[in-house]
């Protein structure tokens, strides 16, 4: 059984599901423009809550924000970099990654963004390059319906490396104001009836004083949602992608059991980075041999060990931080990564038909997903296609070897365990589900059909 989504995320999903019941969340999904204002909503492709993904990615987007020491780096992939540092601040790494405490910094703050409807949850994701000696902090601040604000919450201290010259990658526990709090990678409202009507994101870029190095941030965005409480979701019929299967590598997490237990207990809990690595390589990207030269040479698939190390969250003590997995994907050449929610398997079919595989997060008892052979409180796998009858073809990393990773799961069972927010446990108590959370990774250059498919699920 995979355990890569630990108890804190289970508690998060349960609290969100209870809150959605109390507030009567309305179904629907919206698309968003890049200017900081919501475009008109459109009906969801299937069951789902109110979901809105917004990102800042273009030179115009970056210029629309408030720059304090940052400047826009133009080019084929525009981003923000440190121009003239705003000053120096102290940051003491709580995990002992570096002894340095003084850092030059510059900040960029997004325009105020108003989701299509009030949000119960916000998950940020970002794409950045951090040369040695540099790192980034990503924060979010929301506005409640009464006009008051949340604190600026830290949603990640992140660097693509983990050398002695940067702080270790981490989420931040203990953040809350009595109405909302942060659970690892997610800002969640905890007060009955509370909603966020708008939010801002803030990126702070850091480097050693006197250095000329700078991080570059290419994408900064967030998914907001208010998914209704549900044990069951309506069934969908096969549609756009019946009979389509994409070519995606098959990697088992279980062959890595016992390897590098300092990274989330070894392969036993590596479903997230293993799934991420499959999708990354499906786009033709792989780590260079020097990136995984630290891995024992006798180990198969050393790039999976590399992915686990590169996604490890030292506070969460796991590799399942959703935002960190998306950020890891974007460390590869011209690749983007983000976290969002989909409304139905029809949404997944549109992506698969366009050649875009996805990583899904779900929880289930062994008797709820025929062919899995296990139950889990949280597990990630890849959706790579659909049979002619519309069943889901998944590369499930919870397999004994690479040859047994490919599975076919019954459509009705898969969509329910993925899209629901509540579930019955074997002892009769109530557990939780993710409500359609997924990772999407895709190149910066896409065809028109791929761009249309992403736009159809609210991603620009």
């Amino acid at each position: 059984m995979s355990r890569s989504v630990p108890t804190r995320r289970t508690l998060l999903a349960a609290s969100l599901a209870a809150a959605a019941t109390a507030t009567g969340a309305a179904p629907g999904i919206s698309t968003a423009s890049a200017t900081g204002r919501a475009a008109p909503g459109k009906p969801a492709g299937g069951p789902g809550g109110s979901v809105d993904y917004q990102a800042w990615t273009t030179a115009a987007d970056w210029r629309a924000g408030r720059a304090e020491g940052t400047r826009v780096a133009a080019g084929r992939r525009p981003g923000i970099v440190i121009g003239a540092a705003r000053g120096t601040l102290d940051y003491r790494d709580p995990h002992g990654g570096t002894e340095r405490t003084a850092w030059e910094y510059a900040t960029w703050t997004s325009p105020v963004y108003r989701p299509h409807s009030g949000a119960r949850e916000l998950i940020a994701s970002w794409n950045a390059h951090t040369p040695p000696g540099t790192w980034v902090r990503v924060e979010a601040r929301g506005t409640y319906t009464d006009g008051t604000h949340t604190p600026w919450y830290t949603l990640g201290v992140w660097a693509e490396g983990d050398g002695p010259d940067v702080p270790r990658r981490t989420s931040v526990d203990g953040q809350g104001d009595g109405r909302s709090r942060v659970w690892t990678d997610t800002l969640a409202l905890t007060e009955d009836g509370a909603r966020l009507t708008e939010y801002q994101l803030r990126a702070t870029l850091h480097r050693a004083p006197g250095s000329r190095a700078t991080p570059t941030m290419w994408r900064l965005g967030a998914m907001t949602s208010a998914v209704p409480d549900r044990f069951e979701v309506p069934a969908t019929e096969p549609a756009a992608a019946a009979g389509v299967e994409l070519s995606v590598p098959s990697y088992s997490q279980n062959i890595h059991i016992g390897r590098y237990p300092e990274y989330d207990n070894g392969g036993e809990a590596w479903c997230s980075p293993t799934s991420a690595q499959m999708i990354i390589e499906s786009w033709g990207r792989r780590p260079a041999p020097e990136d995984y030269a630290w891995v024992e040479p006798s180990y198969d698939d050393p790039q999976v060990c590399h992915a686990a190390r590169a996604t490890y969250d030292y506070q969460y003590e796991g590799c399942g931080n959703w935002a960190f997995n998306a950020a890891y994907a974007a460390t590869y050449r011209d690749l983007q990564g983000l976290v969002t929610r989909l409304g139905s398997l029809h949404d997944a079919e549109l992506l698969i038909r366009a050649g875009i595989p996805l990583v899904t997060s779900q929880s289930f008892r062994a008797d709820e997903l025929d062919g899995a052979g296990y139950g889990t409180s949280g597990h990630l796998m890849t959706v790579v296609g659909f049979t002619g009858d519309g069943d889901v073809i998944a590369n499930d990393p919870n397999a004994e070897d690479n040859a047994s990773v490919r599975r076919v799961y019954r459509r009705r069972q898969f969509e329910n365990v993925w899209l629901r927010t509540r579930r019955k446990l074997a002892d009769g108590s109530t557990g939780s589900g993710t409500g359609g959370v997924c990772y999407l990774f895709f190149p910066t250059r896409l065809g028109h059909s791929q761009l249309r498919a992403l736009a159809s699920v609210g991603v620009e």
Side-chain angles (χ1 to χ4, degrees), residues 39 53 56 110 120 158 205 241 316 319 372 406 414 438 457:
Y53 174 78
W56 290 268
S110 77
R120 296 288 306 174
W158 184 86
L205 314 184
Y316 183 57
C319 302
R406 182 187 182 276
F414 186 94
C438 69
V457 299

Side-chain angles (χ1 to χ4, degrees), residues 347-379:
D347 289 341
E349 286 175 310
L350 291 173
L351 294 168
I352 292 295
R353 185 178 66 178
I356 302 173
L358 57 150
V359 177
T360 62
S361 178
Q362 48 273 307
S363 53
F364 49 88
R365 300 190 312 267
D367 63 342
E368 292 183 302
L369 192 62
D370 293 345
Y374 63 92
T376 175
S377 61
H379 180 61

